[in-house]
Amino acid sequence: MSETARILLAEDDRALRQSIAAALRGGSFTVEAVSDGVQAAQRLREEPYDVVLLDIGLPFVDGWEILQQIEGRRQPSVIVISARGEERDKVRALDLGADDYLTKPFGADELLARLRAVLRRVRSTGDAGVARAGEVVVDLTNRSVTRAGAEVRLSPTEWVLLAELASHPGMTRDHRTLLGRVWGPAYIGDRNYLRTFIQRLRRKLEDDPANPGVIVTVGHQGYRFGSSPLARDR
Ligand code: CA
């Protein structure tokens, strides 16, 4: 995998910003660093980045607001870096479209590993084919999703999860497999990620998210795209 990915780093702590930027450059990433939310929002409007490393506690415009501005865009992926280690902050960040959440303090190795994992999953879903469930059509080749003919906008991780389900239509994908394939082996016990993203996808894809027909819950095992294998060609 090429590691020429462009990273925007938004962190107001000068020492931390410099050390993270140095670690990223050492990992052969192209890095641009900003120190407040106004600059971050402006850069995000002007430039295409692969990943944003986003501090939540930023001056002027905080990370929550930046997340809301990015939500629904296919790029960039977002890794939140925050001193808040509480589960509800993590869930809130994921719910607002973050792809991952890293609690400070963290080491350079862990940061680089998370970054590579995010890039890998965004870049690895190139399987051919089209899968359908009801009015939802997932085009795995062109990486697009429509619902009743209208394009549905997904975040990078929403797309990877949906593609993982839709590339095996009608088949149950268990929790651990989905967590491992979408987020990585370190996440196979972290059901919050999966639950949150399934809810987000259902809000975008289902007529009645409480009674889903596109992403179906299969007992306590996992999830399935569509009702049966035959749904694919209907
Ligand atoms: Ca901060």
Side-chain angles (χ1 to χ4, degrees), residues 11-13 55 57-58 104:
E11 168 61 66
D12 59 322
D13 182 299
D55 180 25
L58 286 174
K104 297 173 187 171

Side-chain angles (χ1 to χ4, degrees), residues 62-126:
D62 70 15
W64 298 123
E65 204 168 315
I66 304 279
L67 269 176
Q68 276 162 353
Q69 290 176 13
I70 301 174
E71 192 181 11
R73 277 166 54 170
R74 208 175 279 183
Q75 279 200 310
S77 300
V78 180
I79 299 178
V80 167
I81 48 175
S82 175
R84 307 163 184 239
E86 286 177 36
E87 202 60 23
R88 64 188 165 146
D89 286 322
K90 192 166 159 181
V91 170
R92 184 178 172 198
L94 297 175
D95 204 40
L96 282 172
D99 298 277
D100 204 350
Y101 191 101
L102 205 47
T103 305
K104 297 173 187 171
F106 49 80
D109 287 347
E110 182 170 17
L111 173 63
L112 292 175
R114 300 282 191 109
L115 200 47
R116 290 190 182 111
V118 164
L119 290 167
R120 195 161 48 237
R121 57 185 185 253
V122 170
R123 292 170 173 178
S124 69
T125 48

Side-chain angles (χ1 to χ4, degrees), residues 9-160:
L9 166 64
E11 168 61 66
D12 59 322
D13 182 299
R14 187 158 171 265
L16 190 56
R17 189 171 64 245
Q18 288 176 342
S19 72
I20 292 175
L24 295 174
R25 291 190 182 107
S28 305
F29 293 103
T30 304
V31 190
E32 207 172 307
V34 295
S35 57
D36 68 55
V38 173
Q39 294 176 56
Q42 187 181 346
R43 297 312 288 150
L44 286 165
R45 276 193 300 272
E46 292 170 350
E47 295 291 329
Y49 296 97
D50 296 298
V51 181
V52 185
L53 295 177
L54 182 65
D55 180 25
I56 288 295
L58 286 174
F60 311 129
V61 173
D62 70 15
W64 298 123
E65 204 168 315
I66 304 279
L67 269 176
Q68 276 162 353
Q69 290 176 13
I70 301 174
E71 192 181 11
R73 277 166 54 170
R74 208 175 279 183
Q75 279 200 310
S77 300
V78 180
I79 299 178
V80 167
I81 48 175
S82 175
R84 307 163 184 239
E86 286 177 36
E87 202 60 23
R88 64 188 165 146
D89 286 322
K90 192 166 159 181
V91 170
R92 184 178 172 198
L94 297 175
D95 204 40
L96 282 172
D99 298 277
D100 204 350
Y101 191 101
L102 205 47
T103 305
K104 297 173 187 171
F106 49 80
D109 287 347
E110 182 170 17
L111 173 63
L112 292 175
R114 300 282 191 109
L115 200 47
R116 290 190 182 111
V118 164
L119 290 167
R120 195 161 48 237
R121 57 185 185 253
V122 170
R123 292 170 173 178
S124 69
T125 48
D127 315 25
V130 170
R132 292 186 179 83
E135 293 190 312
V136 172
V137 179
V138 181
D139 184 333
L140 294 158
T141 306
N142 296 312
R143 303 172 58 115
S144 67
V145 184
T146 56
R147 176 180 169 196
E151 193 192 344
V152 179
R153 301 208 314 169
L154 300 180
S155 77
T157 300
E158 287 170 356
W159 164 257
V160 175

